[in-house]
């Protein structure tokens, strides 16, 4: 299991919610799809690194600041006194590599950012970071192309690329490297986790307000708004998924809190947010009572 597991970023969660409840601009949708696809690729890679049996520390999804510069690492593995790190790319389709200019194109001719540039930058920053905290581990940096539908024409041999057909054998080889973790490795892993920045301060979100959001309960499986209440359960009219009313309401409260962190939680607001699908405010307030602390009384009461 990963020593530091990966979770969906707040940015991705918020964009997904906004995409369901409002119409995003074309630019924001593209950004959202890019993030989502990237995340899916990273999760795909995680499902393979999880199988490593060797003694190692796997740290997923790290964000650091060194000498006033921020950089992000998709996957970092400490094994046998070496820090391996990976830039995971979920590209699919046919790409072409121009060696003379180190440029990557999606065929026929759309230029892409060469992940190698990002990798080199991160490697240099990670080296500075390790030096700053007094560790002198060798670093091995690689780009992992995880999507089985990815092809790179004219792929240069000497670049640190791991292709979809090589990921498994690469990890098998890594697994066989004799590795004994010492205290030093653990303190490094802990130190890196403590330096990780949870929220990227440079993240910007599309402008949105409460008014512009479609109200209603959302199915957790298919994102549909066609939810009706049947006894203790919410049933999705599209996919048939059932969920306890209380669970569904709490999930939607958490989403509300994520989108509007400065808003107080009141029964009326949550009733409105759920679009009247749960047709009694009493029922909403019973659910909130059980899971939150009530502050104040009567019409001024809110939940924390
Ligand atoms: Zn559904």
């Amino acid at each position: 299991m990963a020593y530091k597991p990966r979770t969906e970023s707040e940015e991705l969660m918020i964009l997904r919610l906004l995409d369901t409840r409002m119409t995003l601009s074309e630019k924001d949708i593209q950004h959202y799809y890019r993030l989502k696809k990237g995340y899916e690729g990273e999760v795909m890679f995680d499902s393979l690194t999880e199988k490593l049996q060797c003694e190692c520390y796997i740290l997923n999804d790290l964000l650091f600041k060194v000498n006033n510069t921020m950089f992000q690492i998709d996957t970092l593995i400490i094994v046998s006194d070496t820090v391996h790190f990976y830039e995971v790319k979920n590209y699919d389709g046919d790409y072409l590599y121009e060696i003379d200019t180190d440029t990557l194109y999606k065929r026929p001719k759309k230029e892409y950012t060469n992940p190698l540039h990002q990798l080199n930058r991160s490697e240099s920053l990670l080296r500075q970071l390790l030096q700053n905290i007094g560790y002198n581990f060798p670093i091995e940096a690689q780009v992992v192309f995880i999507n089985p539908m990815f092809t790179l024409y004219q792929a240069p041999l000497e670049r640190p690329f791991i292709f979809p057909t090589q990921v498994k054998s690469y990890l098998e080889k890594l697994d066989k490297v004799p590795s004994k973790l010492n205290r030093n490795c653990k303190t490094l892993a802990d130190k890196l986790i403590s330096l990780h920045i949870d929220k990227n301060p440079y993240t910007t979100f599309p402008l949105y307000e409460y008014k512009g959001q479609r109200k209603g309960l959302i199915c957790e499986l298919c994102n549909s708004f066609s939810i009706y209440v049947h006894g203790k359960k919410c049933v999705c009219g599209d996919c048939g998924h059932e969920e306890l009313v209380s669970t569904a309401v709490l999930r939607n409260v958490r989403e509300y809190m994520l989108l509007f962190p400065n808003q107080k939680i009141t029964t009326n607001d949550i009733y409105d947010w759920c679009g009247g699908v749960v047709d009694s405010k009493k029922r909403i307030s019973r659910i909130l009572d059980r899971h939150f602390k009530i502050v104040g009384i009567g019409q001024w009461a809110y939940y924390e």
Side-chain angles (χ1 to χ4, degrees):
M1 211 193 115
Y3 197 58
K4 179 186 176 297
R6 184 183 316 279
T7 49
E8 254 187 335
S9 69
E10 188 182 88
E11 185 182 17
L12 181 53
M13 286 193 280
I14 288 184
L15 284 172
R16 193 187 39 244
L17 289 177
L18 293 180
D19 185 46
T20 316
R21 293 191 184 262
M22 66 183 273
T23 309
L24 289 173
S25 71
E26 196 50 42
K27 191 171 135 264
D28 289 330
I29 288 183
Q30 277 179 12
H31 176 57
Y32 164 52
Y33 286 166
R34 226 179 5 254
L35 278 185
K36 184 167 170 280
K37 193 168 179 201
Y39 180 72
E40 285 164 357
E42 289 155 15
V43 170
M44 236 190 287
F45 188 53
D46 294 348
S47 68
L48 299 174
T49 58
E50 260 166 27
K51 293 186 187 132
L52 286 172
Q53 298 288 317
C54 63
E55 283 191 25
C56 64
Y57 288 108
I58 303 172
L59 278 58
N60 293 325
D61 191 19
L62 297 161
L63 181 67
F64 296 123
K65 191 175 191 177
V66 61
N67 306 338
N68 263 322
T69 311
M70 304 213 47
F71 72 107
Q72 185 247 331
I73 286 179
D74 293 334
T75 304
L76 182 146
I77 303 180
I78 304 171
V79 58
S80 61
D81 285 344
T82 302
V83 173
H84 296 261
F85 87 85
Y86 307 90
E87 178 63 42
V88 182
K89 291 294 173 204
N90 193 7
Y91 297 167
D92 64 291
D94 296 342
Y95 287 70
L96 180 79
Y97 202 95
E98 263 190 20
I99 301 184
D100 302 343
T101 52
D102 258 316
T103 315
L104 191 71
Y105 294 98
K106 183 164 188 171
R107 294 191 73 194
K109 197 74 184 172
K110 184 183 177 200
E111 188 173 336
Y112 261 63
T113 312
N114 187 345
L116 212 54
H117 299 151
Q118 204 181 339
L119 188 82
N120 292 339
R121 175 182 179 272
S122 301
E123 184 180 351
S124 151
L125 290 165
L126 181 65
R127 186 159 287 121
Q128 293 174 43
L129 178 88
L130 292 186
Q131 267 166 15
N132 288 355
I133 57 176
Y135 287 85
N136 202 6
F137 282 45
I139 297 176
E140 295 234 356
Q142 268 144 320
V143 177
V144 176
F145 294 100
I146 194 74
N147 196 307
M149 306 295 277
F150 173 78
T151 302
L152 185 59
Y153 289 93
Q154 290 173 202
L157 267 175
E158 72 285 3
R159 304 291 191 280
F161 291 154
I162 303 174
F163 294 110
T165 47
Q166 302 173 314
V167 181
K168 246 177 128 175
S169 58
Y170 167 82
L171 288 173
E172 277 166 16
K173 219 164 110 194
L174 187 70
D175 218 4
K176 289 201 182 94
V177 176
S179 172
K180 248 301 73 1
L181 292 175
N182 51 38
R183 265 188 79 84
N184 218 7
C185 298
K186 182 169 188 311
T187 48
L188 173 59
D190 289 332
K191 186 81 195 165
L192 288 175
I193 290 174
S194 75
L195 289 172
H196 162 69
I197 301 163
D198 221 21
K199 271 190 193 180
N200 188 341
Y202 299 109
T203 306
T204 52
F205 293 101
L207 283 178
Y208 62 91
E209 48 184 1
Y210 183 79
K211 212 168 65 210
Q213 305 297 307
R214 181 168 170 188
K215 314 297 185 298
L217 289 173
I218 303 175
C219 172
E220 64 176 338
L221 283 195
C222 73
N223 266 352
S224 162
F225 279 93
S226 309
I227 306 282
Y228 60 93
V229 173
H230 183 74
K232 284 193 165 178
K233 286 184 176 156
C234 282
V235 185
C236 173
D238 280 336
C239 75
H241 178 65
E242 294 185 354
E243 190 180 10
L244 279 175
V245 172
S246 53
T247 317
V249 168
L250 287 172
R251 193 164 50 75
N252 281 267
V253 172
R254 279 194 299 273
E255 292 175 353
Y256 176 82
M257 291 163 83
L258 189 65
L259 289 178
F260 308 103
N262 300 323
Q263 282 294 324
K264 284 178 175 153
I265 309 288
T266 69
T267 302
N268 279 335
D269 289 344
I270 297 306
Y271 175 81
D272 188 55
W273 181 244
C274 295
V277 176
V278 181
D279 64 354
S280 113
K281 289 188 184 173
K282 257 215 174 92
R283 193 164 185 182
I284 299 266
S285 81
R286 271 204 307 272
I287 295 168
L288 293 174
D289 278 344
R290 260 183 278 136
H291 295 91
F292 296 91
K293 200 177 120 221
I294 190 159
V295 182
I297 42 164
Q299 57 176 310
W300 292 282
Y302 64 93
Y303 295 89
E304 282 183 340

